[in-house]
Amino acid sequence: MTGTAQPTGRCYCGCGKQIGYGRYFAAGHDKTAEAAFLAIHHQASVAQMLHAHGYGPDDTKSVTKAAVEKGLWEECPFGCGYRGARESVVNHVNRHHREK
């Protein structure tokens, strides 16, 4: 397969359900498709999927660190080691670093 996936009006999990314009999945079916993909390709294990792509538990092989380095995620500005999408970091800071 080449190119970018395009919405077709049918659920991408393969169930055949008609869905709204511009969507890829019926509600919750993205997780169904993800679970099936992991089962087929990675023994139903996120750890095995990460390992297959060169990621691991060491900071030098960290998938979250790679996301930060690619500019897709951010690190907590308080240096606690938390990494996530911008909105997730904002929520983390508000929950764990605001003055009490």
Side-chain angles (χ1 to χ4, degrees), residues 59 62 64-65 68 73-97:
D59 196 49
S62 168
T64 59
K65 184 176 181 179
V68 170
W73 275 18
E74 298 177 4
E75 288 197 57
C76 175
F78 291 91
C80 70
Y82 182 85
R83 298 171 180 144
R86 186 186 65 76
E87 297 83 8
S88 187
V89 172
V90 168
N91 290 337
H92 163 80
V93 167
N94 288 336
R95 190 173 303 124
H96 298 286
H97 297 292

Side-chain angles (χ1 to χ4, degrees), residues 1 4-5 15 22 24 26 31 42 47-48 58 65 70 72 83 85 91 93-96 100:
M1 298 192 114
T4 303
C15 70
Y24 292 93
K31 293 299 180 184
H42 302 290
Q48 294 302 324
D58 301 326
K65 184 176 181 179
K70 288 182 179 276
L72 304 169
R83 298 171 180 144
N91 290 337
V93 167
N94 288 336
R95 190 173 303 124
H96 298 286
K100 297 181 179 177

Side-chain angles (χ1 to χ4, degrees), residues 16-87:
K17 184 173 183 172
Q18 296 289 322
I19 54 174
Y21 177 75
R23 295 179 59 204
Y24 292 93
F25 295 99
H29 290 213
D30 56 333
K31 293 299 180 184
T32 299
E34 181 180 42
F37 182 88
L38 284 173
I40 293 166
H41 297 285
H42 302 290
Q43 299 93 41
S45 168
V46 173
Q48 294 302 324
M49 177 185 66
L50 293 175
H51 177 76
H53 288 275
Y55 299 108
D58 301 326
D59 196 49
T60 59
K61 296 180 179 183
S62 168
V63 69
T64 59
K65 184 176 181 179
V68 170
E69 289 171 350
K70 288 182 179 276
L72 304 169
W73 275 18
E74 298 177 4
E75 288 197 57
C76 175
F78 291 91
C80 70
Y82 182 85
R83 298 171 180 144
R86 186 186 65 76
E87 297 83 8

